[in-house]
Amino acid sequence: MAAQALALLREVARLEAPLEELRALHSVLQAVPLNELREQVAELRLGPLFSLLNENHREKTALCVSILERLLQAMEPVHVARNLRVDLQRGLIHPDDSVKILTLSQIGRIVENSDAVTEILNNAELLKQIVYCIGGENLSVAKALIVEISSVSPESLNYCTTSGLVTQLLRELTGEDVLVRATCIEMVTSLAYTHHGRQYLAQEGVIDQISNIIVGADSDPFSSFYLPGFVKFFGNLAVMDSPQQICERYPIFVEKVFEMTESQDPTMTGVAVDTVGILGSNVEGKQVLQKTGTRFERLLVRIGHQSKNAPVELKIRCLDAISSLLYLPPEQQTDDLLRMTESWFSALSRDPLELFRGISSQPFPELHCAALKVFTAIANQPWAQKLMFNSPGFVEYVVDRSVEHDKASKDAKYELVKALANSKTIAEIFGNPNYLRLRTYLSEGPYYVKPVSTTAVEGAE
Protein backbone atom coordinates (compact mmCIF):
# COMPACT_ATOMS: atom_id res chain seq x y z
CA MET A 1 0.00 0.00 0.00
CA ALA A 2 2.81 2.42 0.88
CA ALA A 3 4.59 1.42 -2.37
CA GLN A 4 1.45 2.35 -4.34
CA ALA A 5 1.36 5.75 -2.61
CA LEU A 6 5.05 6.36 -3.48
CA ALA A 7 4.44 5.41 -7.13
CA LEU A 8 1.53 7.89 -7.31
CA LEU A 9 3.65 10.57 -5.65
CA ARG A 10 6.30 10.07 -8.38
CA GLU A 11 3.56 10.33 -11.05
CA VAL A 12 2.34 13.61 -9.53
CA ALA A 13 5.91 14.99 -9.73
CA ARG A 14 6.26 13.92 -13.38
CA LEU A 15 3.00 15.20 -14.84
CA GLU A 16 1.90 18.72 -15.81
CA ALA A 17 -1.71 18.47 -14.59
CA PRO A 18 -1.96 15.48 -12.25
CA LEU A 19 -5.54 15.92 -10.99
CA GLU A 20 -6.55 12.23 -11.38
CA GLU A 21 -3.29 11.11 -9.75
CA LEU A 22 -3.89 13.48 -6.83
CA ARG A 23 -7.38 12.05 -6.32
CA ALA A 24 -5.99 8.50 -6.41
CA LEU A 25 -3.12 9.39 -4.03
CA HIS A 26 -5.59 11.03 -1.65
CA SER A 27 -7.77 7.91 -1.40
CA VAL A 28 -4.79 5.50 -1.19
CA LEU A 29 -3.24 7.48 1.69
CA GLN A 30 -6.39 7.11 3.82
CA ALA A 31 -5.69 3.36 3.93
CA VAL A 32 -1.92 3.44 4.59
CA PRO A 33 -1.05 3.18 8.31
CA LEU A 34 1.20 6.00 9.60
CA ASN A 35 3.93 3.58 10.70
CA GLU A 36 4.25 2.30 7.09
CA LEU A 37 4.60 5.87 5.85
CA ARG A 38 7.23 6.59 8.53
CA GLU A 39 9.34 3.74 7.16
CA GLN A 40 9.32 5.45 3.74
CA VAL A 41 10.07 9.01 4.95
CA ALA A 42 13.40 9.14 3.08
CA GLU A 43 11.52 8.49 -0.20
CA LEU A 44 8.85 11.14 0.32
CA ARG A 45 9.45 14.05 -2.07
CA LEU A 46 6.98 16.75 -1.07
CA GLY A 47 8.35 19.60 -3.21
CA PRO A 48 5.99 18.95 -6.16
CA LEU A 49 2.95 18.96 -3.84
CA PHE A 50 4.00 22.31 -2.35
CA SER A 51 4.51 23.68 -5.90
CA LEU A 52 0.98 22.63 -6.90
CA LEU A 53 -0.38 24.80 -4.07
CA ASN A 54 0.60 27.84 -6.14
CA GLU A 55 -1.59 26.96 -9.12
CA ASN A 56 -4.74 28.66 -7.85
CA HIS A 57 -6.87 25.58 -8.62
CA ARG A 58 -9.36 24.99 -5.81
CA GLU A 59 -9.64 21.19 -6.02
CA LYS A 60 -5.88 20.69 -6.48
CA THR A 61 -5.18 22.92 -3.47
CA ALA A 62 -7.72 21.05 -1.30
CA LEU A 63 -6.28 17.65 -2.34
CA CYS A 64 -2.66 18.78 -1.81
CA VAL A 65 -3.47 20.19 1.65
CA SER A 66 -5.13 16.93 2.69
CA ILE A 67 -2.30 14.78 1.22
CA LEU A 68 0.40 16.95 2.82
CA GLU A 69 -1.39 16.83 6.17
CA ARG A 70 -1.16 13.03 6.12
CA LEU A 71 2.42 12.80 4.83
CA LEU A 72 3.75 15.46 7.21
CA GLN A 73 2.27 13.53 10.15
CA ALA A 74 4.68 10.73 9.24
CA MET A 75 7.67 13.07 9.46
CA GLU A 76 9.46 14.00 12.67
CA PRO A 77 9.18 17.74 13.54
CA VAL A 78 13.01 18.03 13.31
CA HIS A 79 12.92 16.71 9.73
CA VAL A 80 10.18 19.21 8.82
CA ALA A 81 12.11 22.10 10.42
CA ARG A 82 15.36 21.22 8.63
CA ASN A 83 14.11 20.26 5.19
CA LEU A 84 10.89 22.16 4.56
CA ARG A 85 11.67 25.65 5.86
CA VAL A 86 11.24 27.40 2.53
CA ASP A 87 7.94 25.64 1.86
CA LEU A 88 6.68 26.58 5.32
CA GLN A 89 7.67 30.21 4.80
CA ARG A 90 5.75 30.28 1.50
CA GLY A 91 2.78 28.57 3.13
CA LEU A 92 2.53 31.34 5.71
CA ILE A 93 1.84 33.96 3.02
CA HIS A 94 -0.44 31.78 0.88
CA PRO A 95 -3.80 33.41 0.02
CA ASP A 96 -5.74 30.24 0.97
CA ASP A 97 -6.54 29.88 4.69
CA SER A 98 -6.40 26.07 4.57
CA VAL A 99 -2.74 26.27 3.43
CA LYS A 100 -1.93 28.76 6.20
CA ILE A 101 -3.57 26.56 8.81
CA LEU A 102 -1.65 23.51 7.53
CA THR A 103 1.59 25.52 7.78
CA LEU A 104 0.78 26.90 11.21
CA SER A 105 -0.03 23.43 12.54
CA GLN A 106 3.39 22.21 11.35
CA ILE A 107 5.10 25.19 13.00
CA GLY A 108 3.09 24.29 16.11
CA ARG A 109 4.57 20.76 16.02
CA ILE A 110 8.06 22.25 15.65
CA VAL A 111 7.57 24.68 18.55
CA GLU A 112 6.37 21.88 20.85
CA ASN A 113 9.43 19.73 20.06
CA SER A 114 12.55 20.74 22.01
CA ASP A 115 14.96 19.47 19.31
CA ALA A 116 13.06 20.98 16.40
CA VAL A 117 12.42 24.37 17.99
CA THR A 118 16.15 25.09 18.21
CA GLU A 119 16.20 24.90 14.39
CA ILE A 120 13.91 27.95 14.37
CA LEU A 121 15.46 29.75 17.33
CA ASN A 122 18.98 29.41 15.91
CA ASN A 123 17.81 30.99 12.69
CA ALA A 124 16.92 34.59 13.58
CA GLU A 125 15.79 35.40 10.03
CA LEU A 126 13.42 32.47 9.87
CA LEU A 127 11.98 33.19 13.31
CA LYS A 128 11.42 36.83 12.38
CA GLN A 129 9.73 35.82 9.16
CA ILE A 130 7.46 33.33 10.94
CA VAL A 131 6.53 35.95 13.51
CA TYR A 132 5.83 38.66 10.91
CA CYS A 133 3.94 36.29 8.63
CA ILE A 134 1.76 35.17 11.51
CA GLY A 135 1.28 38.81 12.46
CA GLY A 136 -0.84 39.42 9.38
CA GLU A 137 -3.26 36.71 10.44
CA ASN A 138 -6.25 37.03 12.67
CA LEU A 139 -6.61 33.25 12.87
CA SER A 140 -6.82 32.05 16.47
CA VAL A 141 -4.32 29.31 15.50
CA ALA A 142 -1.82 32.07 14.74
CA LYS A 143 -2.37 33.77 18.09
CA ALA A 144 -1.96 30.52 19.98
CA LEU A 145 1.25 29.89 18.07
CA ILE A 146 2.63 33.33 18.93
CA VAL A 147 2.11 32.50 22.60
CA GLU A 148 3.85 29.12 22.12
CA ILE A 149 6.81 30.79 20.41
CA SER A 150 6.94 33.52 23.09
CA SER A 151 7.00 30.86 25.80
CA VAL A 152 10.10 29.11 24.45
CA SER A 153 12.69 31.64 25.67
CA PRO A 154 13.18 35.33 26.56
CA GLU A 155 14.70 35.84 23.06
CA SER A 156 11.69 34.41 21.25
CA LEU A 157 9.37 36.53 23.42
CA ASN A 158 11.45 39.54 22.44
CA TYR A 159 10.90 38.86 18.72
CA CYS A 160 7.18 38.52 19.26
CA THR A 161 6.93 41.73 21.28
CA THR A 162 9.09 43.73 18.83
CA SER A 163 6.78 42.65 16.02
CA GLY A 164 3.83 44.07 17.97
CA LEU A 165 2.01 40.73 18.05
CA VAL A 166 1.97 40.23 21.80
CA THR A 167 0.92 43.87 22.25
CA GLN A 168 -2.00 43.25 19.90
CA LEU A 169 -3.01 40.19 21.90
CA LEU A 170 -2.87 42.19 25.14
CA ARG A 171 -4.93 45.00 23.59
CA GLU A 172 -7.63 42.48 22.72
CA LEU A 173 -7.46 41.10 26.25
CA THR A 174 -8.56 44.46 27.64
CA GLY A 175 -10.72 45.42 24.64
CA GLU A 176 -14.50 45.64 24.40
CA ASP A 177 -15.20 42.29 22.67
CA VAL A 178 -15.97 39.91 25.56
CA LEU A 179 -15.69 36.73 23.46
CA VAL A 180 -12.26 37.72 22.12
CA ARG A 181 -11.30 38.60 25.69
CA ALA A 182 -12.24 35.11 26.85
CA THR A 183 -10.02 33.51 24.16
CA CYS A 184 -7.11 35.88 24.84
CA ILE A 185 -6.99 35.19 28.59
CA GLU A 186 -6.39 31.47 27.90
CA MET A 187 -3.39 32.39 25.77
CA VAL A 188 -2.06 34.90 28.29
CA THR A 189 -2.39 32.21 30.99
CA SER A 190 -0.18 29.93 28.84
CA LEU A 191 2.42 32.69 28.63
CA ALA A 192 2.30 33.08 32.43
CA TYR A 193 3.44 29.45 32.86
CA THR A 194 6.99 30.63 32.08
CA HIS A 195 9.10 32.81 34.35
CA HIS A 196 10.05 35.24 31.57
CA GLY A 197 6.39 35.40 30.50
CA ARG A 198 5.26 36.36 34.02
CA GLN A 199 7.99 39.00 34.26
CA TYR A 200 6.88 40.52 30.97
CA LEU A 201 3.19 40.59 31.99
CA ALA A 202 4.07 42.25 35.31
CA GLN A 203 6.33 44.86 33.64
CA GLU A 204 3.65 45.74 31.10
CA GLY A 205 1.06 46.19 33.84
CA VAL A 206 -1.10 43.42 32.40
CA ILE A 207 -1.66 41.69 35.75
CA ASP A 208 -2.90 44.98 37.24
CA GLN A 209 -5.21 45.47 34.25
CA ILE A 210 -6.68 41.98 34.65
CA SER A 211 -7.25 42.71 38.34
CA ASN A 212 -9.02 45.98 37.47
CA ILE A 213 -11.28 44.21 34.98
CA ILE A 214 -12.27 41.74 37.75
CA VAL A 215 -13.02 44.73 40.00
CA GLY A 216 -15.32 46.19 37.32
CA ALA A 217 -16.94 42.87 36.46
CA ASP A 218 -19.89 43.41 38.84
CA SER A 219 -21.23 46.22 36.66
CA ASP A 220 -20.68 44.30 33.39
CA PRO A 221 -23.69 42.16 32.36
CA PHE A 222 -21.40 40.09 30.07
CA SER A 223 -18.72 39.35 32.66
CA SER A 224 -19.71 35.66 32.84
CA PHE A 225 -18.04 35.19 29.42
CA TYR A 226 -14.55 36.13 30.59
CA LEU A 227 -14.57 36.13 34.40
CA PRO A 228 -13.89 32.37 34.78
CA GLY A 229 -10.76 32.68 32.62
CA PHE A 230 -9.54 35.76 34.51
CA VAL A 231 -9.95 34.05 37.89
CA LYS A 232 -8.22 30.91 36.56
CA PHE A 233 -5.32 33.12 35.42
CA PHE A 234 -4.79 34.40 38.97
CA GLY A 235 -5.09 30.90 40.44
CA ASN A 236 -2.27 29.64 38.21
CA LEU A 237 -0.23 32.79 38.81
CA ALA A 238 -0.52 32.37 42.59
CA VAL A 239 0.72 28.79 42.56
CA MET A 240 3.61 29.54 40.20
CA ASP A 241 4.76 32.64 42.05
CA SER A 242 3.76 33.09 45.67
CA PRO A 243 0.15 32.57 46.80
CA GLN A 244 0.66 35.01 49.67
CA GLN A 245 2.11 37.81 47.55
CA ILE A 246 -0.49 37.46 44.77
CA CYS A 247 -3.42 37.30 47.21
CA GLU A 248 -2.15 40.28 49.23
CA ARG A 249 -1.46 42.38 46.16
CA TYR A 250 -4.72 41.46 44.39
CA PRO A 251 -7.32 40.95 47.16
CA ILE A 252 -10.11 41.15 44.54
CA PHE A 253 -8.98 37.73 43.28
CA VAL A 254 -9.65 35.95 46.60
CA GLU A 255 -12.83 37.98 47.07
CA LYS A 256 -14.14 36.93 43.65
CA VAL A 257 -13.30 33.26 44.24
CA PHE A 258 -15.34 33.23 47.47
CA GLU A 259 -18.18 35.06 45.73
CA MET A 260 -18.18 32.62 42.79
CA THR A 261 -18.48 29.55 45.03
CA GLU A 262 -21.87 30.94 46.12
CA SER A 263 -22.98 31.41 42.50
CA GLN A 264 -26.04 29.64 41.09
CA ASP A 265 -24.18 29.30 37.76
CA PRO A 266 -22.41 25.89 37.74
CA THR A 267 -19.69 27.25 35.37
CA MET A 268 -18.78 29.92 37.92
CA THR A 269 -18.94 27.50 40.85
CA GLY A 270 -16.79 24.95 38.97
CA VAL A 271 -14.04 27.47 38.19
CA ALA A 272 -14.08 28.80 41.76
CA VAL A 273 -13.79 25.27 43.18
CA ASP A 274 -10.93 24.41 40.77
CA THR A 275 -9.15 27.64 41.74
CA VAL A 276 -9.48 26.94 45.47
CA GLY A 277 -7.97 23.50 44.78
CA ILE A 278 -5.05 25.03 42.85
CA LEU A 279 -4.49 27.71 45.48
CA GLY A 280 -4.56 25.18 48.33
CA SER A 281 -2.24 22.71 46.60
CA ASN A 282 0.81 23.97 48.49
CA VAL A 283 1.34 24.91 52.13
CA GLU A 284 1.68 28.65 51.54
CA GLY A 285 -1.63 28.67 49.67
CA LYS A 286 -3.30 26.66 52.45
CA GLN A 287 -2.14 29.23 54.98
CA VAL A 288 -3.49 32.09 52.86
CA LEU A 289 -6.90 30.39 52.81
CA GLN A 290 -6.76 29.64 56.54
CA LYS A 291 -6.19 33.35 57.26
CA THR A 292 -9.58 34.21 55.75
CA GLY A 293 -11.17 32.52 58.78
CA THR A 294 -14.93 31.98 58.82
CA ARG A 295 -15.27 32.82 55.12
CA PHE A 296 -13.16 29.81 54.25
CA GLU A 297 -15.08 27.63 56.72
CA ARG A 298 -18.31 28.60 54.97
CA LEU A 299 -16.69 27.77 51.63
CA LEU A 300 -15.73 24.31 52.95
CA VAL A 301 -19.30 23.67 54.08
CA ARG A 302 -20.49 24.69 50.61
CA ILE A 303 -17.97 22.44 48.81
CA GLY A 304 -18.89 19.54 51.09
CA HIS A 305 -22.58 20.10 50.31
CA GLN A 306 -21.89 20.33 46.55
CA SER A 307 -19.81 17.14 46.55
CA LYS A 308 -22.96 15.32 47.70
CA ASN A 309 -25.72 17.20 45.87
CA ALA A 310 -24.33 18.84 42.70
CA PRO A 311 -24.44 17.31 39.18
CA VAL A 312 -21.82 14.57 38.70
CA GLU A 313 -19.23 16.74 36.90
CA LEU A 314 -19.26 19.41 39.62
CA LYS A 315 -19.21 16.72 42.35
CA ILE A 316 -15.96 15.38 40.86
CA ARG A 317 -14.43 18.88 40.71
CA CYS A 318 -15.39 19.44 44.38
CA LEU A 319 -13.82 16.12 45.41
CA ASP A 320 -10.63 16.93 43.48
CA ALA A 321 -10.41 20.33 45.21
CA ILE A 322 -10.96 18.69 48.63
CA SER A 323 -8.12 16.21 47.90
CA SER A 324 -5.82 19.06 46.94
CA LEU A 325 -6.70 21.11 50.04
CA LEU A 326 -6.27 18.25 52.51
CA TYR A 327 -3.06 16.68 51.22
CA LEU A 328 0.07 17.31 53.32
CA PRO A 329 3.43 15.76 52.37
CA PRO A 330 4.98 13.90 55.36
CA GLU A 331 7.86 16.40 55.66
CA GLN A 332 5.37 19.27 56.11
CA GLN A 333 3.20 17.66 58.76
CA THR A 334 3.70 20.03 61.67
CA ASP A 335 1.24 19.90 64.57
CA ASP A 336 -0.32 23.20 63.45
CA LEU A 337 -0.84 22.11 59.86
CA LEU A 338 -2.25 18.73 60.93
CA ARG A 339 -4.70 20.50 63.24
CA MET A 340 -5.67 22.75 60.32
CA THR A 341 -6.36 19.92 57.83
CA GLU A 342 -8.30 18.04 60.52
CA SER A 343 -10.49 21.09 61.19
CA TRP A 344 -11.04 21.58 57.43
CA PHE A 345 -12.08 17.95 57.05
CA SER A 346 -14.53 18.30 59.95
CA ALA A 347 -16.04 21.46 58.41
CA LEU A 348 -17.03 19.64 55.19
CA SER A 349 -19.96 17.75 56.72
CA ARG A 350 -21.37 16.30 59.93
CA ASP A 351 -19.69 12.95 59.23
CA PRO A 352 -17.25 13.51 56.34
CA LEU A 353 -15.84 9.98 56.35
CA GLU A 354 -19.31 8.52 55.83
CA LEU A 355 -20.12 11.22 53.27
CA PHE A 356 -17.18 10.21 51.07
CA ARG A 357 -17.79 6.52 51.63
CA GLY A 358 -21.36 7.04 50.47
CA ILE A 359 -20.18 8.91 47.37
CA SER A 360 -17.66 6.17 46.60
CA SER A 361 -20.45 3.59 46.53
CA GLN A 362 -22.34 5.39 43.73
CA PRO A 363 -22.34 3.65 40.33
CA PHE A 364 -20.03 6.15 38.58
CA PRO A 365 -16.36 5.08 38.30
CA GLU A 366 -15.19 8.74 38.09
CA LEU A 367 -17.02 9.59 41.33
CA HIS A 368 -15.77 6.43 43.01
CA CYS A 369 -12.15 7.30 42.09
CA ALA A 370 -12.54 10.95 43.14
CA ALA A 371 -13.85 9.87 46.59
CA LEU A 372 -10.98 7.37 46.98
CA LYS A 373 -8.58 10.22 46.12
CA VAL A 374 -9.92 12.17 49.13
CA PHE A 375 -9.16 9.22 51.40
CA THR A 376 -5.70 8.89 49.79
CA ALA A 377 -4.99 12.61 50.39
CA ILE A 378 -5.47 12.22 54.16
CA ALA A 379 -4.24 8.62 54.47
CA ASN A 380 -0.78 9.58 55.80
CA GLN A 381 -2.13 11.92 58.53
CA PRO A 382 -2.48 10.33 61.99
CA TRP A 383 -5.83 12.03 62.84
CA ALA A 384 -7.36 10.60 59.65
CA GLN A 385 -5.95 7.12 60.34
CA LYS A 386 -7.61 7.17 63.77
CA LEU A 387 -10.92 8.22 62.20
CA MET A 388 -10.67 5.42 59.63
CA PHE A 389 -9.74 2.81 62.23
CA ASN A 390 -12.62 3.84 64.51
CA SER A 391 -15.19 3.90 61.70
CA PRO A 392 -17.01 0.52 61.69
CA GLY A 393 -16.14 -1.57 58.65
CA PHE A 394 -13.76 1.00 57.13
CA VAL A 395 -10.61 -1.13 57.24
CA GLU A 396 -12.55 -4.04 55.67
CA TYR A 397 -13.78 -1.66 52.95
CA VAL A 398 -10.18 -0.63 52.17
CA VAL A 399 -8.88 -4.20 51.74
CA ASP A 400 -12.01 -5.55 50.03
CA ARG A 401 -11.15 -6.14 46.36
CA SER A 402 -14.71 -7.00 45.33
CA VAL A 403 -15.80 -3.33 45.49
CA GLU A 404 -13.80 -2.18 42.43
CA HIS A 405 -14.58 -3.55 38.98
CA ASP A 406 -12.79 -1.30 36.45
CA LYS A 407 -9.07 -0.57 36.03
CA ALA A 408 -9.23 3.11 37.12
CA SER A 409 -11.04 2.18 40.35
CA LYS A 410 -8.61 -0.67 41.11
CA ASP A 411 -5.70 1.75 40.56
CA ALA A 412 -7.30 4.38 42.83
CA LYS A 413 -7.90 1.81 45.59
CA TYR A 414 -4.29 0.62 45.26
CA GLU A 415 -3.02 4.20 45.71
CA LEU A 416 -5.07 4.46 48.92
CA VAL A 417 -3.67 1.17 50.26
CA LYS A 418 -0.14 2.28 49.31
CA ALA A 419 -0.54 5.64 51.09
CA LEU A 420 -1.76 3.89 54.24
CA ALA A 421 0.78 1.03 54.18
CA ASN A 422 3.74 3.37 53.66
CA SER A 423 2.83 5.68 56.54
CA LYS A 424 5.10 5.57 59.60
CA THR A 425 2.19 5.74 62.04
CA ILE A 426 -0.12 3.14 60.48
CA ALA A 427 1.08 -0.01 62.32
CA GLU A 428 0.63 1.70 65.67
CA ILE A 429 -2.84 3.13 64.86
CA PHE A 430 -4.34 0.26 62.78
CA GLY A 431 -2.62 -2.51 64.78
CA ASN A 432 -0.24 -5.12 63.34
CA PRO A 433 -2.82 -7.57 61.90
CA ASN A 434 -4.43 -4.79 59.80
CA TYR A 435 -1.04 -3.41 58.85
CA LEU A 436 -0.09 -6.86 57.52
CA ARG A 437 -3.34 -7.03 55.52
CA LEU A 438 -2.41 -3.72 53.87
CA ARG A 439 1.14 -4.94 53.12
CA THR A 440 -0.24 -8.16 51.60
CA TYR A 441 -2.65 -6.17 49.39
CA LEU A 442 0.26 -3.96 48.34
CA SER A 443 2.55 -6.87 47.43
CA GLU A 444 -0.23 -8.63 45.47
CA GLY A 445 -0.67 -5.56 43.26
CA PRO A 446 -3.79 -3.66 42.10
CA TYR A 447 -5.35 -6.41 39.93
CA TYR A 448 -4.87 -9.51 42.08
CA VAL A 449 -7.68 -12.05 41.85
CA LYS A 450 -7.96 -14.70 44.56
CA PRO A 451 -7.69 -18.16 42.98
CA VAL A 452 -10.93 -20.15 43.20
CA SER A 453 -10.21 -23.56 44.70
CA THR A 454 -11.67 -26.47 42.70
CA THR A 455 -12.35 -29.80 44.40
CA ALA A 456 -12.26 -32.93 42.24
CA VAL A 457 -15.36 -35.08 42.63
CA GLU A 458 -14.81 -38.81 42.38
CA GLY A 459 -16.54 -40.39 39.42
CA ALA A 460 -17.17 -37.09 37.65
CA GLU A 461 -17.09 -37.25 33.85
Side-chain angles (χ1 to χ4, degrees):
M1 213 54 169
Q4 193 184 346
L6 283 172
L8 281 164
L9 195 54
R10 281 193 287 272
E11 280 297 286
V12 166
R14 196 175 58 80
L15 295 168
E16 281 278 312
L19 188 57
E20 284 309 316
E21 289 71 17
L22 283 172
R23 286 176 186 150
L25 178 56
H26 181 258
S27 60
V28 165
L29 279 176
Q30 306 308 313
V32 183
L34 264 183
N35 58 334
E36 278 187 38
L37 286 175
R38 285 194 185 106
E39 288 165 14
Q40 306 291 338
V41 158
E43 303 296 316
L44 296 176
R45 302 278 175 268
L46 304 188
L49 289 169
F50 278 109
S51 300
L52 286 168
L53 291 172
N54 302 322
E55 289 196 5
N56 199 15
H57 182 293
R58 187 175 290 178
E59 190 185 353
K60 274 189 201 165
T61 300
L63 285 166
C64 285
V65 165
S66 186
I67 291 165
L68 281 165
E69 222 165 67
R70 185 74 180 152
L71 294 175
L72 287 164
Q73 269 182 311
M75 292 184 172
E76 289 299 318
V78 176
H79 180 89
V80 176
R82 279 185 192 149
N83 302 302
L84 299 172
R85 283 181 194 168
V86 177
D87 298 305
L88 292 178
Q89 282 170 252
R90 286 194 193 122
L92 285 168
I93 50 174
H94 198 282
D96 190 302
D97 270 1
S98 67
V99 179
K100 280 178 188 153
I101 289 169
L102 168 74
T103 311
L104 290 169
S105 69
Q106 289 308 311
I107 293 170
R109 286 180 70 212
I110 292 167
V111 171
E112 284 169 5
N113 180 294
S114 54
D115 295 326
V117 78
T118 54
E119 293 288 325
I120 289 183
L121 296 178
N122 292 337
N123 183 333
E125 255 332 285
L126 176 64
L127 179 60
K128 249 187 244 180
Q129 189 164 357
I130 288 172
V131 169
Y132 286 118
C133 289
I134 294 173
E137 293 311 310
N138 204 22
L139 300 165
S140 59
V141 188
K143 286 181 188 158
L145 201 49
I146 280 296
V147 170
E148 276 186 34
I149 292 173
S150 302
S151 300
V152 173
S153 68
E155 293 74 30
S156 62
L157 172 61
N158 193 32
Y159 279 124
C160 295
T161 50
T162 312
S163 70
L165 294 174
V166 177
T167 323
Q168 183 191 334
L169 179 71
L170 298 178
R171 253 202 316 275
E172 290 180 351
L173 178 68
T174 53
E176 294 305 307
D177 188 326
V178 290
L179 294 175
V180 170
R181 199 183 266 185
T183 314
C184 288
I185 191 66
E186 280 184 34
M187 297 179 195
V188 172
T189 303
S190 301
L191 187 56
Y193 282 125
T194 65
H195 180 66
H196 66 271
R198 289 196 296 281
Q199 271 187 322
Y200 172 76
L201 293 172
Q203 281 161 7
E204 294 298 307
V206 177
I207 302 173
D208 292 339
Q209 284 176 309
I210 294 173
S211 171
N212 291 337
I213 290 172
I214 296 178
V215 172
D218 285 346
S219 55
D220 181 358
F222 300 108
S223 64
S224 62
F225 286 108
Y226 59 81
L227 200 54
F230 278 41
V231 166
K232 231 185 261 181
F233 167 81
F234 269 111
N236 287 308
L237 195 65
V239 164
M240 288 178 289
D241 267 353
S242 151
Q244 191 174 340
Q245 281 176 15
I246 294 295
C247 295
E248 281 175 3
R249 180 154 185 199
Y250 303 104
I252 185 64
F253 157 57
V254 184
E255 185 63 39
K256 193 53 74 177
V257 170
F258 281 128
E259 201 179 286
M260 281 164 68
T261 52
E262 302 288 334
S263 170
Q264 297 308 307
D265 177 350
T267 307
M268 292 290 190
T269 313
V271 168
V273 163
D274 294 347
T275 307
V276 167
I278 291 169
L279 197 53
S281 61
N282 64 28
V283 167
E284 190 184 316
K286 291 184 206 302
Q287 288 168 327
V288 167
L289 291 167
Q290 176 72 347
K291 277 182 195 161
T292 62
T294 52
R295 288 203 74 177
F296 185 59
E297 272 177 43
R298 282 206 303 278
L299 184 144
L300 288 169
V301 171
R302 173 104 175 129
I303 291 181
H305 176 79
Q306 294 277 27
S307 66
K308 185 183 179 185
N309 301 297
V312 171
E313 197 236 347
L314 185 52
K315 274 182 184 166
I316 293 166
R317 289 166 84 172
C318 287
L319 292 166
D320 284 348
I322 291 167
S323 303
S324 176
L325 288 167
L326 295 175
Y327 177 68
L328 270 182
E331 67 278 7
Q332 292 178 325
Q333 291 185 10
T334 62
D335 289 347
D336 282 353
L337 288 174
L338 286 167
R339 268 196 298 275
M340 181 182 82
T341 51
E342 184 175 8
S343 72
W344 287 4
F345 186 74
S346 308
L348 290 163
S349 155
R350 234 180 249 140
D351 187 346
L353 208 65
E354 272 313 298
L355 166 71
F356 299 125
R357 225 171 119 179
I359 293 170
S360 78
S361 64
Q362 291 179 22
F364 298 101
E366 297 97 327
L367 263 185
H368 180 71
C369 292
L372 285 174
K373 253 175 78 181
V374 174
F375 292 139
T376 308
I378 56 174
N380 65 5
Q381 299 178 46
W383 62 262
Q385 292 170 2
K386 287 173 190 159
L387 271 183
M388 291 174 184
F389 180 67
N390 292 323
S391 172
F394 193 88
V395 179
E396 279 62 33
Y397 161 76
V398 171
V399 292
D400 180 2
R401 289 182 180 271
S402 67
V403 181
E404 284 75 31
H405 304 293
D406 59 284
K407 182 181 181 300
S409 301
K410 288 175 196 285
D411 287 341
K413 173 64 83 69
Y414 189 72
E415 287 304 312
L416 168 58
V417 171
K418 187 159 69 174
L420 285 167
N422 290 338
S423 163
K424 287 179 180 155
T425 50
I426 198 74
E428 185 192 333
I429 292 170
F430 270 35
N432 273 330
N434 287 323
Y435 171 63
L436 290 172
R437 288 166 82 189
L438 291 170
R439 296 297 324 171
T440 304
Y441 191 119
L442 200 59
S443 63
E444 288 169 347
Y447 317 117
Y448 175 77
V449 178
K450 204 173 182 181
V452 179
S453 57
T454 52
T455 310
V457 180
E458 205 177 318
E461 290 297 322

